[in-house]
C-alpha cells in the first residue's frame, strides 16, 4: 500500500496525493517534465539533486523520505532503459546470485516469475546477448529478488516492438495477480489502458485529473487530459503517396554482420528529398543495423550507400566533414548521447562549430534558435542533461542533429519516450522540415501510429531481409493483417 500526501518538491511538484492498495496498478501520465519521475523517485526515498521534498510518503505502512529509504527489497525499480542497470561486462548469473545473496532469496524463482529460463546456458550470457524483451524481463527479475511489495516501472515498454511490448505488459499483469502493486510511469496510453486500475494525470507538477483508468481515458473531464488522448497517432492517418522518381538516398544490396551472424541480407531501398522512409520490424530484425550502416556507424560487408548519386564511405572515420553533416543520427537513448557534465546548450552548439565552421558565439545563437523550434527555452537549455526529463533530452538531441543542416536525418525510436502532445509536435515539426528543407527522413519505429502519421513509404525488415516495401498506407494494411494472423489464439 502506498500513500503520497501533499508531496512538494520545490517548484517541481505541488501537492500530489494518491493512494494505491496492494495488487493494483496506478499509472502516472503527463507531459515530459510534469513530475512523473520525481514522484516515482519519492517512493524510493530519493529526489533529484537540489530538491527539497516535504509531505508524507508511506510504502507498505512505513514512512519513506530523503535519508529514510524503504526497507531493502520493499520497492523494486524497473527503469526505462535496461542498459541503465545491467552490467555489460558481467554474466547474468553472477549478478543475479550477488543480488540474491544480499536479500537471502533464490535466483531460479525470480527468473521463473519473470518468464525467463534458469538453465546454465542462459545464466552465462551477457546482457547484450539478450533481446530487448529479455533485457526488460531480466530487470524485472532483479527487482523480484528483493521480494518487493511495490514496483515502480518507468516507461517499461519504451522502444519495444508491439509483440515484445505485449509480452512485458503480460509479465507485469502477472505480478499484479501475485499481489504486487505497480506504479507505472508511461506515455503509452495503450499500455496504461491495458494495465492500470487508476490513472493520475500530471501537468507542470500538479494533478489535473485522477480516477479509475476507464473513466479518465474514455471520458476525460479536463481539457489537458482530452488533448493527451486525442493526440495519439492513428493508423488511419496514413495516406497514399507514390515514391518520387529521383532518389536522394539509395541503398543497394547491403550485407552486414554482427560477429559471425549475418544481420542484413542484400537490402536495397531508396528515398527522395522531402520524403520519409519508415523502417519497421521486430526487435533484432536488423532495423538499427541498417540505420547505423547509413550513418557510417557500422561498416557493411558489401553493398553501397549513395547520397545524390555519390557513394558515401562505408565507415564514419573516412567521411568528410560535409558528409558527416549530411547524414545525422538521433539515438533512442538520448541521455546516453550527452555528456552529463556539460550543459545541453554547449553540447548542441558544438555541432555548428565542428560541422558548419561557426564561431562559438554564432553557434550558441544558432543553437538557441533551433532549440526553440523544438520547444526548449534558453533556461532549460543551459542546464546539465541530468536536470532535464527524458522527453526534453530527446528534443535536445533532435535539435543537435538539425543544427548540422543535414540532407538525411535518421531517427531511431525518437518519439517512444514522449507524451502524445509532445510527440505530435515533434512529428509535425519533422514533417514540415522535410517538406521545407527537402530533408530525407529515415524513421525507425515500432509505433505504427507514428509511422502512419509521418511516413510516405514503409520498409518491413524481418530476420535481416526486406519483407515488404511500398507506399505507407498499403504496407501498413498488410502489416496489421499479418500481425493479427500471428496472434496466439485463445
Amino acid at each position: 500500500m502506498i500513500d503520497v500526501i501533499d508531496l512538494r518538491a520545490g517548484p517541481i511538484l505541488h501537492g500530489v496525493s494518491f493512494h494505491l492498495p496492494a495488487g493494483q496498478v496506478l499509472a502516472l501520465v503527463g507531459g515530459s517534465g510534469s513530475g512523473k519521475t520525481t514522484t516515482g523517485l519519492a517512493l524510493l526515498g530519493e529526489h533529484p539533486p537540489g530538491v527539497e521534498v516535504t509531505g508524507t510518503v508511506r510504502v507498505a505502512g512505513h514512512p519513506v523520505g530523503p535519508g529514510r529509504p524503504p526497507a531493502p527489497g520493499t520497492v523494486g525499480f524497473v527503469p526505462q532503459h535496461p542498459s541503465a542497470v545491467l552490467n555489460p561486462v558481467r554474466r547474468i548469473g553472477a549478478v543475479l546470485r550477488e543480488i540474491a545473496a544480499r536479500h537471502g532469496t533464490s535466483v531460479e524463482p525470480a527468473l521463473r516469475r519473470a518468464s525467463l529460463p534458469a538453465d546454465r546456458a542462459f545464466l552465462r550470457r551477457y546482457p547484450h546477448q539478450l533481446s530487448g524483451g529479455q533485457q526488460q524481463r531480466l530487470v524485472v527479475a532483479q527487482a523480484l529478488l528483493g521480494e518487493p511489495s511495490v514496483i515502480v516501472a518507468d516507461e517499461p515498454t519504451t522502444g519495444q516492438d508491439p509483440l515484445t511490448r505485449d509480452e512485458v505488459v503480460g509479465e507485469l499483469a502477472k505480478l499484479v495477480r501475485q499481489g504486487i502493486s505497480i506504479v507505472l510511469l508511461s506515455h503509452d496510453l495503450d499500455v496504461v489502458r491495458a494495465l492500470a486500475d487508476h490513472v493520475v494525470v500530471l501537468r507542470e507538477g500538479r494533478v489535473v485529473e485522477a480516477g479509475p483508468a476507464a473513466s479518465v481515458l474514455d471520458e476525460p473531464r479536463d481539457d489537458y487530459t482530452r488533448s493527451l488522448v486525442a493526440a495519439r497517432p492513428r493508423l488511419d492517418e496514413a495516406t497514399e503517396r507514390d515514391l518520387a522518381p529521383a532518389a536522394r538516398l539509395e541503398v543497394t544490396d547491403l550485407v552486414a554482420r554482427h560477429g559471425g551472424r549475418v544481420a542484413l541480407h542484400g537490402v536495397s531501398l531508396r528515398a527522395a528529398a522531402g520524403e520519409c522512409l519508415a523502417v519497421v520490424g521486430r526487435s533484432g530484425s536488423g532495423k538499427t543495423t541498417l540505420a547505423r550502416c547509413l550513418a557510417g556507424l557500422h561498416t557493411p560487408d558489401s553493398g553501397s550507400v549513395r547520397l545524390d548519386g555519390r557513394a558515401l564511405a562505408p565507415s564514419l572515420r573516412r567521411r568528410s566533414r560535409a558528409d558527416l553533416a549530411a547524414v545525422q543520427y538521433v539515438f533512442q537513448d538520448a541521455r546516453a548521447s550527452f555528456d552529463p557534465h556539460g550543459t545541453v546548450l554547449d553540447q548542441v552548439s558544438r555541432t555548428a562549430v565542428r560541422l558548419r565552421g561557426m564561431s562559438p558565439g554564432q553557434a550558441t545563437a544558432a543553437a538557441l534558435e533551433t532549440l526553440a523550434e523544438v520547444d526548449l527555452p534558453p533556461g532549460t537549455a543551459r542546464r546539465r542533461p541530468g536536470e532535464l526529463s527524458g522527453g526534453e533530452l530527446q528534443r535536445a538531441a533532435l535539435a543537435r542533429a538539425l543544427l548540422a543542416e543535414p540532407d538525411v536525418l535518421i531517427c531511431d525510436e525518437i518519439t517512444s519516450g514522449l507524451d502524445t502532445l509532445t510527440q505530435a509536435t515533434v512529428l509535425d515539426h519533422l514533417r514540415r522540415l522535410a517538406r521545407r528543407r527537402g530533408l530525407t527522413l529515415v524513421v525507425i519505429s515500432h509505433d505504427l501510429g507514428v509511422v502512419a502519421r509521418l511516413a510516405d513509404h514503409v520498409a518491413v525488415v524481418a530476420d535481416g531481409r526486406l519483407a515488404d516495401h511500398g507506399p505507407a498506407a498499403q504496407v501498413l494494411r498488410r502489416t496489421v493483417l499479418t500481425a493479427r494472423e500471428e496472434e496466439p489464439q485463445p
Side-chain angles (χ1 to χ4, degrees), residues 257-262:
R257 295 176 181 271
H258 280 299
R261 181 179 67 85
V262 179

Side-chain angles (χ1 to χ4, degrees), residues 23 68-69 89 149 181 198 202 215-216 236 305 333 349 371 404 419 435:
R68 190 172 51 187
V89 298
S149 303
S181 299
H198 315 278
L202 294 174
S215 174
V216 172
D236 59 11
V305 178
D333 187 355
S349 64
L371 286 162
D419 65 272
R435 302 292 187 265

Side-chain angles (χ1 to χ4, degrees), residues 2 18 20 24-28 36 39-40 43 150-154 181-185:
I2 303 169
F18 61 81
L20 178 60
Q24 293 193 12
V25 179
L26 181 139
L28 297 173
K36 299 188 302 298
T39 304
L43 305 181
V150 179
I151 288 179
V152 178
D154 188 356
S181 299
I182 293 180
V183 177
L184 174 68
L185 285 55

Side-chain angles (χ1 to χ4, degrees), residues 22-81:
Q24 293 193 12
V25 179
L26 181 139
L28 297 173
V29 303
S32 299
S34 62
K36 299 188 302 298
T37 298
T38 301
T39 304
L41 287 174
L43 305 181
L44 302 171
E46 300 180 6
H47 56 78
V51 170
E52 181 181 350
V53 180
T54 63
T56 303
V57 181
R58 299 183 71 87
V59 180
H62 301 286
V64 172
R68 190 172 51 187
T74 304
V75 183
F77 179 63
V78 178
Q80 179 174 349
H81 298 291

Side-chain angles (χ1 to χ4, degrees), residues 295-297 299 313-320 324:
L297 297 170
T299 304
S315 170
L316 192 71
R317 295 178 179 178
R318 293 172 53 193
R319 294 188 182 181
S320 66
L324 292 175

Side-chain angles (χ1 to χ4, degrees), residues 5 16 30 87 93 107 149 178 192 200 260 307-308 324 328 332 347 376 378-379 383 392 399 429 443 476:
I5 304 170
V16 174
N87 191 325
V107 170
S149 303
Q178 297 170 11
V192 171
V200 173
L307 181 65
D308 292 325
L324 292 175
Q328 287 288 297
Q332 176 180 346
Q347 295 180 65
L376 281 181
R383 299 175 187 168
E392 289 170 332
H429 184 63
V443 174
L476 288 174

Side-chain angles (χ1 to χ4, degrees), residues 100-458:
R102 181 178 181 182
H103 292 287
T105 55
S106 300
V107 170
E108 186 174 337
L111 289 171
R112 187 168 58 248
R113 291 174 72 187
S115 297
L116 287 172
D119 58 89
R120 185 172 182 272
F122 180 79
L123 293 173
R124 287 186 58 78
R125 294 184 192 177
Y126 292 94
H128 73 271
Q129 295 174 307
L130 306 181
S131 69
Q134 287 176 320
Q135 287 185 359
Q136 195 62 276
R137 292 198 295 275
L138 180 59
V139 171
V140 172
Q142 287 187 177
L144 290 174
L145 285 169
E147 297 184 343
S149 303
V150 179
I151 288 179
V152 178
D154 188 356
E155 297 282 2
T157 59
T158 293
Q160 306 287 5
D161 64 82
L163 291 177
T164 303
R165 182 193 64 188
D166 291 346
E167 290 173 6
V168 174
V169 168
E171 296 307 320
L172 293 176
K174 187 166 63 176
L175 297 180
V176 173
R177 291 194 294 271
Q178 297 170 11
I180 294 175
S181 299
I182 293 180
V183 177
L184 174 68
L185 285 55
S186 183
H187 291 125
D188 191 328
L189 298 186
D190 292 333
V191 171
V192 171
R193 189 182 296 276
L195 270 177
D197 299 289
H198 315 278
V199 173
V200 173
V201 183
L202 294 174
R203 184 183 189 188
E204 296 178 352
R206 290 181 168 85
V207 176
V208 297
E209 187 164 355
S215 174
V216 172
L217 296 177
D218 294 335
E219 299 177 355
R221 301 183 307 275
D222 183 80
D223 288 342
Y224 178 70
T225 308
R226 282 195 287 268
S227 63
L228 279 177
V229 174
R232 179 74 175 89
R234 305 184 313 274
L235 278 173
D236 59 11
E237 293 184 73
T239 59
E240 297 282 356
R241 291 188 290 265
D242 294 329
L243 299 180
R248 159 168 284 173
L249 178 69
E250 290 182 275
V251 180
T252 306
D253 295 329
L254 205 64
V255 177
R257 295 176 181 271
H258 280 299
R261 181 179 67 85
V262 179
L264 293 175
H265 302 262
V267 172
S268 297
L269 292 167
R270 67 185 182 91
E275 290 187 335
C276 174
L277 166 67
V279 183
V280 303
R282 287 214 66 180
S283 299
S285 62
K287 305 185 303 300
T288 295
T289 300
L290 171 61
R292 291 175 65 84
C293 287
L294 300 183
L297 297 170
H298 187 101
T299 304
D301 285 30
S302 60
S304 65
V305 178
R306 305 182 75 84
L307 181 65
D308 292 325
R310 178 175 51 83
L312 292 174
S315 170
L316 192 71
R317 295 178 179 178
R318 293 172 53 193
R319 294 188 182 181
S320 66
R321 186 167 75 169
D323 285 345
L324 292 175
V327 181
Q328 287 288 297
Y329 199 118
V330 185
F331 297 89
Q332 176 180 346
D333 187 355
R335 196 168 299 278
S337 71
F338 281 92
D339 180 347
H341 304 294
T343 69
V344 169
L345 178 58
D346 286 345
Q347 295 180 65
V348 171
S349 64
R350 201 174 300 148
T351 296
V353 174
R354 292 184 173 181
L355 298 181
R356 293 174 58 188
M358 288 186 175
S359 69
Q362 292 172 325
T364 297
L368 285 170
E369 183 178 337
T370 306
L371 286 162
E373 287 188 77
V374 295
D375 295 323
L376 281 181
T380 302
R382 289 188 169 91
R383 299 175 187 168
R384 289 185 173 86
E387 300 175 78
L388 273 63
S389 70
E392 289 170 332
L393 270 183
Q394 192 58 273
R395 282 178 278 157
L398 175 61
R400 181 173 55 188
L402 291 172
L403 194 57
E405 296 190 338
D407 296 318
V408 176
L409 182 65
I410 302 168
C411 301
D412 192 350
E413 295 284 2
I414 68 164
T415 62
S416 59
L418 303 179
D419 65 272
T420 55
L421 286 174
T422 305
Q423 184 184 78
T425 299
V426 169
L427 294 178
D428 290 344
H429 184 63
L430 283 174
R431 189 159 50 186
R432 286 194 301 270
L433 279 173
R435 302 292 187 265
R436 188 172 73 244
R437 295 190 185 183
L439 181 66
T440 299
L441 296 176
V442 178
V443 174
I444 312 296
S445 182
H446 289 123
D447 190 328
L448 297 186
V450 168
V451 171
R453 186 168 192 155
L454 195 60
D456 296 291
H457 46 290
V458 175

